């Protein structure tokens, strides 16, 4: 080996040792951050459940973490927000006080728009599932508590309100103010008169919820009739009463299910659909929904 090559090789080796040392330092810092994140998140919940931190103050703290320029603080926010989703299966074992506080936290996160477009549908789904059991269960009480904390927010989510109103146990608690609010949101989002039949749709939605709706995410599907709209073999089982969709466009590629990211964007747009943002939300769906996804949609 020539003296020049030997010198170059020695210099490269020295650089390698320096980079290896830097990588080891970064790895140690990363692991230390992960441990710190978990401890910080646990500390926040300990303070919350002991009453040292109010729910409102907890959400203020999370907002500061979310807006922080420091990566580990934003990761702490993510860790805290993920906690109710991971603990949902164990809520039946929670003491009443901690369960109520967790429900308030979830509701206030929704009320203050503290959840990302990817996380909010997951939280709404969690609340919907909490009403699947009896009104005497702790899960049901958790769901009601969460709704009580985000009443203004759910006024902007008529599709979500329709989903939870389908739950028989939810409708059984009609004396609850939050259940009455959900019913009024549904009533206000449905046209008052059907031009063809003259029948008030808002007077009919109870029967539709009970007997005609099937399939779809959150149980939100299409309403079955015996009519045939030429939509293929399953048209007799899935036909819209108030909307008559056009036949599917013939395309040169097979129909396919969209990606999870696309599903999340579509679900977020639908969950937030209201009369005053119809064009905006339609545009959002149009930007991500391709013809090959029409069968799924």
């Amino acid at each position: 080996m020539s003296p020049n090559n030997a010198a170059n090789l020695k210099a490269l080796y020295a650089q390698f040792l320096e980079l290896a040392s830097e990588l080891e330092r970064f790895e140690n810092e990363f692991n230390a951050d992960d441990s710190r994140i978990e401890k910080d998140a646990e500390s926040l919940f300990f303070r919350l459940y002991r009453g040292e931190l109010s729910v409102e103050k907890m959400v203020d703290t999370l907002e500061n973490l979310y807006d922080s320029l420091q990566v580990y603080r934003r990761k702490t926010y993510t860790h805290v927000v993920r906690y109710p989703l991971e603990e949902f299966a164990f809520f039946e074992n929670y003491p009443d006080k901690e369960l109520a506080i967790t429900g308030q936290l979830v509701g206030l996160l929704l009320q203050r728009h503290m959840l990302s477009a990817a996380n909010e549908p997951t939280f709404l789904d969690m609340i919907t599932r909490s009403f699947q059991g009896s009104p005497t269960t702790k899960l049901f009480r958790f769901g009601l508590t969460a709704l009580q904390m985000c009443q203004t927010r759910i006024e902007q989510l008529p599709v979500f309100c329709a989903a939870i109103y389908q739950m028989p146990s939810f409708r059984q608690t009609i004396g609850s103010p939050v259940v009455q609010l959900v019913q009024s949101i549904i009533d206000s989002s449905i046209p008052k008169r059907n031009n063809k039949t003259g029948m008030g749709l808002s007077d009919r939605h109870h029967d539709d919820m009970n007997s005609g709706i099937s399939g779809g995410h959150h149980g939100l599907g299409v309403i079955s009739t015996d009519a045939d709209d030429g939509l293929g073999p399953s048209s007799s089982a899935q036909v819209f009463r108030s909307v008559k969709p056009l036949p599917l466009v013939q395309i040169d590629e097979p129909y396919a299910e969209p990606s999870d990211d696309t599903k999340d964007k579509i679900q977020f747009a639908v969950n937030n659909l209201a009369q005053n943002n119809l064009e905006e939300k339609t545009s959002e769906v149009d930007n991500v929904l391709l013809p090959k996804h029409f069968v799924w949609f």
Side-chain angles (χ1 to χ4, degrees):
M1 181 181 295
S2 68
N4 284 339
N5 287 340
N8 290 335
L9 183 60
K10 185 177 181 179
L12 287 174
Y13 183 68
Q15 290 179 2
F16 166 76
L17 292 178
E18 183 179 355
L19 289 173
S21 177
E22 286 291 307
L23 287 173
E24 184 177 4
R25 182 174 66 83
F26 286 140
E27 182 179 5
N28 291 336
E29 289 180 356
F30 181 80
N31 292 334
D33 275 353
D34 277 353
S35 178
R36 183 180 178 186
I37 287 167
E38 186 173 352
K39 289 181 180 179
D40 286 352
E42 288 178 354
S43 176
L44 284 173
F45 276 106
F46 282 142
R47 293 174 59 198
L48 177 67
Y49 290 144
R50 286 198 298 255
E52 299 173 6
L53 200 64
S54 69
V55 176
E56 291 78 8
K57 192 65 177 178
M58 176 75 159
V59 176
D60 289 341
T61 302
L62 290 176
E63 188 171 10
N64 291 332
L65 292 174
Y66 181 79
D67 293 334
S68 175
L69 297 177
Q70 298 180 7
V71 174
Y72 94 87
R73 289 176 63 83
R74 295 199 301 272
K75 286 184 176 180
T76 302
Y77 159 84
T78 301
H79 194 87
V80 171
V81 168
R82 193 171 59 234
Y83 175 84
L85 299 174
E86 295 174 347
E87 287 291 303
F88 179 74
F90 308 103
F91 281 169
E92 283 296 332
N93 301 322
Y94 267 45
D96 291 342
K97 175 185 174 183
E98 284 74 8
L99 181 72
I101 290 174
T102 307
Q104 292 169 14
L105 176 63
V106 168
L108 200 54
L109 287 171
L110 286 164
Q111 176 73 9
R112 291 176 53 171
H113 299 269
M114 289 288 295
L115 302 171
S116 67
N119 276 334
E120 183 172 275
T122 308
F123 271 72
L124 295 175
D125 181 70
M126 175 176 64
I127 294 175
T128 302
R129 286 186 289 124
S130 72
F131 296 121
Q132 291 176 344
S134 164
T136 60
T137 62
K138 289 189 174 182
L139 277 179
F140 194 96
R141 296 206 301 273
F142 159 80
L144 273 187
T145 301
L147 290 183
Q148 288 167 358
M149 296 297 292
C150 60
Q151 296 186 33
T152 304
R153 180 74 181 101
I154 64 173
E155 289 178 359
Q156 304 165 357
L157 304 171
V159 176
F160 166 68
C161 290
I164 59 177
Y165 202 81
Q166 290 181 50
M167 305 294 178
S169 57
F170 186 82
R171 295 196 300 275
Q172 288 174 15
T173 56
I174 191 63
S176 168
V178 72
V179 177
Q180 294 174 0
L181 172 63
V182 169
Q183 182 179 351
S184 69
I185 292 171
I186 296 173
D187 287 341
S188 64
S189 66
I190 298 177
K192 297 300 182 185
R193 187 66 55 183
N194 185 319
N195 291 333
K196 290 186 177 181
T197 65
M199 182 179 183
L201 294 182
S202 59
D203 297 332
R204 191 177 67 193
H205 80 273
H206 297 285
D207 293 337
D208 288 345
M209 293 291 183
N210 287 329
S211 61
I213 301 180
S214 61
H217 189 76
H218 291 322
L220 295 179
V222 293
I223 302 175
S224 300
T225 68
D226 296 329
D228 185 358
D229 283 2
L231 299 179
S234 62
S235 61
S236 62
Q238 292 189 338
V239 178
F240 291 96
R241 259 187 205 150
S242 56
V243 176
K244 300 297 182 183
L246 296 174
L248 291 173
V249 177
Q250 298 299 316
I251 58 177
D252 296 330
E253 57 182 326
Y255 291 108
E257 187 171 333
S259 66
D260 289 341
D261 181 61
T262 299
K263 290 179 182 178
D264 286 342
K265 291 178 180 177
I266 293 173
Q267 184 180 344
F268 182 74
V270 172
N271 281 340
N272 288 276
L273 189 63
Q275 290 183 352
N276 62 352
N277 65 5
L278 182 60
E279 292 186 6
E280 175 190 350
K281 296 304 175 184
T282 301
S283 177
E284 290 179 10
V285 172
D286 186 55
N287 289 335
V288 297
L289 188 66
L290 302 177
K292 65 180 181 180
H293 300 148
F294 286 174
V295 168
W296 170 86
F297 188 75

